[in-house]
Amino acid sequence: MNKEAISLLISGAHIIDPGQDIDQIGDLLIAEGKILRIGSTVTLSQRPERGEGKVENLDASGLVLCPGFVDLHCHLRQPGFEDKETIATGTKAAAIGGFAAVCCMANTEPPLDTPAAVDWVKQKASRDGAVAVFPIGCITKGRKGEELTDMAGLAEAGVIAFSDDGDPVASSLLMRRAMEHSRELGLPIIDHCEDKELSDNGIINEGEISAKLRLEGIPAAAEEVIVARDLILAKLTGAKLHIAHVSTKGSVELIRRAKEEGISVTAEVTPHHLTLTEERIVRETPDKSFDVNAKVNPPLRTRDDIEALIKGLKDGVIDAIATDHAPHTLADKNCGLERAAFGISGFETAFGCLMSLVHKGEISLTQLISKLTCEPAKVIGRNDELGTLKIGGPANITILDPDREWIVDSRNFASKGKNTPYDGYKFKGKVMATIANGRVVYIDDSLVIARSEVTKQSHV
């Protein structure tokens, strides 16, 4: 990994930074890992004298340059599930997907329910991570929903939020206490909204398709009941509440009304819930079975739900797009629809599938970038260092080609998780390079950095 101080001039890019209302053709100069200049014409002579390292040049004409993507919700699986993913493989996949920073969920083994466990992840990420990793701490010990963790100790250890993601906190009283503590600590609760009794071993969305195929369904109400409960608790406690992976029209409307009431709530939606319906999982594969790679929790919903989610994005009800990257082994998935694990490996396909919304005119490119950069950074209170091209701030940058066509081939994923329902899809829109904290951690083969020793298709 190259630790030398370097200067990098990126020239001719379409620079978009929604958080600063920047939308212009111009150049950007990086020196010693920080953004030094942005302008219509920037020269290497403008770098400070102390930046005596190598000088590199990247012609980004025809490409879009924006702040590095920030993912609020991913599963890096380490410690405990290294057969599914590691911090090294997961963050490399994140870099390929354009993410300069990721927030990892606490459902590892052991779970991130002690300061020691959090410290282990931070040290491992410091050594092996291609991009910045921000741990999320457990709400309850062992994620069992019975007793609160030492939330103050976890906050001191550096968690950016609390979540038992993968499971809800079933006890309303315990969730109230968690919110009270999180309010005092100034950190959000990230909420997995699922009434387990209502979801009741469901496999896909409850509706016409589940009834026709006689498959156990997961009703929209299983999500919406907990969304409603925790919005009420957030109002009661004054806590910051973040609703994870919103999937239903009803949830969008509950969050809309809560925001209108002044409740401190934010929300995220995944790329797959924006682009795939319940019909995708029952599309027959060559061997006449269902596509287990489209089995996810919450399940893929209906076209009406997707339309409500997109509207929620556009009008600010939904603040961010998060991948919920959930890698699994082939054995986890290739065991029949009923037994297959929930989850989609999402880092490397996120931007490509989301660009379908832009090309169809459902959202603008600037809106999409905003939901991947400044808005998620604001949710976790890191908008001074993440999701921005602020002069003097760390150089976290993503370079995009909105019109580049490519075909998804999961065999080439950097992630260990090859479980994607997008395998074989042709996307229009591709991440071309990712810079994390001033280091080029990914660059497409078609780009050339002059006088550089960067190894393409890998972090340096």
Side-chain angles (χ1 to χ4, degrees):
M1 200 173 284
N2 191 343
K3 299 289 187 180
E4 296 179 36
I6 63 170
S7 294
L8 175 64
L9 176 62
I10 305 171
S11 59
H14 180 183
I15 302 173
I16 299 177
D17 181 353
Q20 297 190 93
D21 293 322
I22 296 174
D23 190 337
Q24 67 178 73
I25 304 297
D27 306 340
L28 183 145
L29 179 62
I30 299 168
E32 297 185 328
K34 298 186 182 298
I35 297 173
L36 183 63
R37 299 277 190 277
I38 297 175
S40 56
T41 304
V42 176
T43 65
L44 288 168
S45 63
Q46 291 174 289
R47 65 194 174 100
E49 291 184 2
R50 65 181 181 278
E52 295 294 338
K54 298 175 183 178
V55 177
E56 300 181 342
N57 300 269
L58 174 60
D59 182 359
S61 300
L63 303 178
V64 171
L65 183 155
C66 68
F69 297 164
V70 179
D71 191 5
L72 290 175
H73 188 152
C74 74
H75 302 269
L76 297 181
R77 303 300 192 197
Q78 195 174 18
F81 303 105
E82 287 83 358
D83 55 336
K84 299 174 186 282
E85 191 76 286
T86 65
I87 289 170
T89 59
T91 56
K92 185 176 180 182
I96 292 171
F99 295 93
V102 299
C103 303
C104 63
M105 282 296 174
N107 55 343
T108 52
E109 186 56 49
L112 305 187
D113 61 355
T114 66
V118 171
D119 188 58
W120 187 92
V121 168
K122 290 174 65 178
Q123 290 188 35
K124 188 70 172 174
S126 179
R127 292 192 303 268
D128 297 348
V131 303
V133 174
F134 296 94
I136 295 166
C138 294
I139 297 174
T140 66
K141 293 181 179 179
R143 297 176 50 254
K144 295 179 179 179
E146 298 172 354
E147 183 180 357
L148 293 181
T149 58
D150 174 11
M151 296 174 73
L154 291 173
E156 188 174 348
V159 303
I160 50 84
F162 303 100
S163 181
D164 277 0
D165 186 63
D167 288 296
V169 176
S171 165
S172 297
L173 177 60
L174 201 61
M175 180 57 98
R176 175 184 179 172
R177 300 298 181 227
M179 288 190 185
E180 289 170 343
H181 286 301
S182 70
R183 181 199 63 216
E184 293 169 1
L185 296 167
L187 297 176
I189 293 284
I190 299 181
D191 201 4
H192 176 106
C193 294
E194 179 187 5
D195 185 315
K196 290 281 191 174
E197 291 185 349
L198 281 175
S199 58
D200 190 28
N201 298 315
I203 299 171
I204 66 172
N205 180 54
E206 182 178 289
E208 292 182 7
I209 291 178
S210 66
K212 178 181 178 181
L213 298 173
R214 297 184 179 180
L215 294 172
E216 293 293 331
I218 301 174
E223 174 175 309
E224 294 160 6
V225 163
I226 303 300
V227 170
R229 182 200 73 171
D230 290 347
L231 289 172
I232 292 169
L233 292 176
K235 181 178 182 179
L236 175 66
T237 62
K240 297 178 182 178
L241 177 66
H242 179 75
I243 307 294
H245 43 52
V246 176
S247 73
T248 77
K249 179 179 181 179
S251 292
V252 174
E253 292 312 307
L254 287 166
I255 296 163
R256 184 189 306 278
R257 291 199 294 271
K259 287 194 170 189
E260 289 171 352
E261 289 184 40
I263 296 172
S264 181
V265 59
T266 54
E268 70 187 39
V269 64
T270 72
H272 45 272
H273 286 114
L274 289 167
T275 57
L276 298 174
T277 70
E278 60 186 343
E279 295 176 1
R280 180 63 184 79
I281 198 170
V282 298
R283 188 182 76 174
E284 289 188 343
T285 58
D287 64 355
K288 303 299 181 181
S289 62
F290 299 128
D291 189 355
V292 294
N293 287 323
K295 182 182 178 183
V296 66
N297 188 17
L300 302 175
R301 304 287 189 181
T302 68
R303 174 55 56 184
D304 284 347
D305 291 308
I306 287 181
E307 290 175 359
L309 293 168
I310 293 171
K311 185 176 186 300
L313 273 181
K314 293 172 70 173
D315 60 22
V317 173
I318 297 177
D319 302 82
I321 298 173
T323 67
D324 194 7
H325 173 73
H328 288 291
T329 66
L330 291 176
D332 293 330
K333 283 291 192 178
N334 294 342
C335 53
L337 184 60
E338 291 188 3
R339 295 177 56 200
F342 290 100
I344 291 171
S345 183
F347 280 146
E348 292 164 83
T349 57
F351 180 70
C353 74
L354 290 167
M355 278 301 295
S356 67
L357 304 178
V358 175
H359 290 301
K360 288 187 289 187
E362 295 181 305
I363 61 174
S364 70
L365 179 59
T366 298
Q367 287 172 327
L368 175 58
I369 290 172
S370 179
K371 300 299 181 181
L372 289 167
T373 59
C374 57
E375 294 192 65
K378 186 177 180 181
V379 169
I380 58 172
R382 301 287 180 132
N383 42 313
D384 283 340
E385 60 182 294
L386 299 174
T388 179
L389 300 176
K390 182 179 179 181
I391 301 299
N396 294 305
I397 294 166
T398 301
I399 298 175
L400 313 165
D401 186 338
D403 298 313
R404 176 77 171 268
E405 293 186 342
W406 61 287
I407 296 174
V408 177
D409 185 348
S410 63
R411 294 172 300 179
N412 295 329
F413 279 6
S415 171
K416 286 188 174 185
K418 315 303 179 185
N419 49 302
T420 174
Y422 299 107
D423 214 12
Y425 277 47
K426 178 185 281 189
F427 288 148
K428 186 177 182 182
K430 190 176 188 300
V431 174
M432 303 302 288
T434 305
I435 298 169
N437 201 29
R439 297 181 297 111
V440 179
V441 292
Y442 168 71
I443 185 166
D444 186 82
D445 281 333
S446 64
L447 292 187
V448 176
I449 296 182
R451 296 196 298 277
S452 168
E453 296 179 2
V454 171
T455 302
K456 295 180 181 179
Q457 295 286 358
S458 66
H459 63 273
V460 296

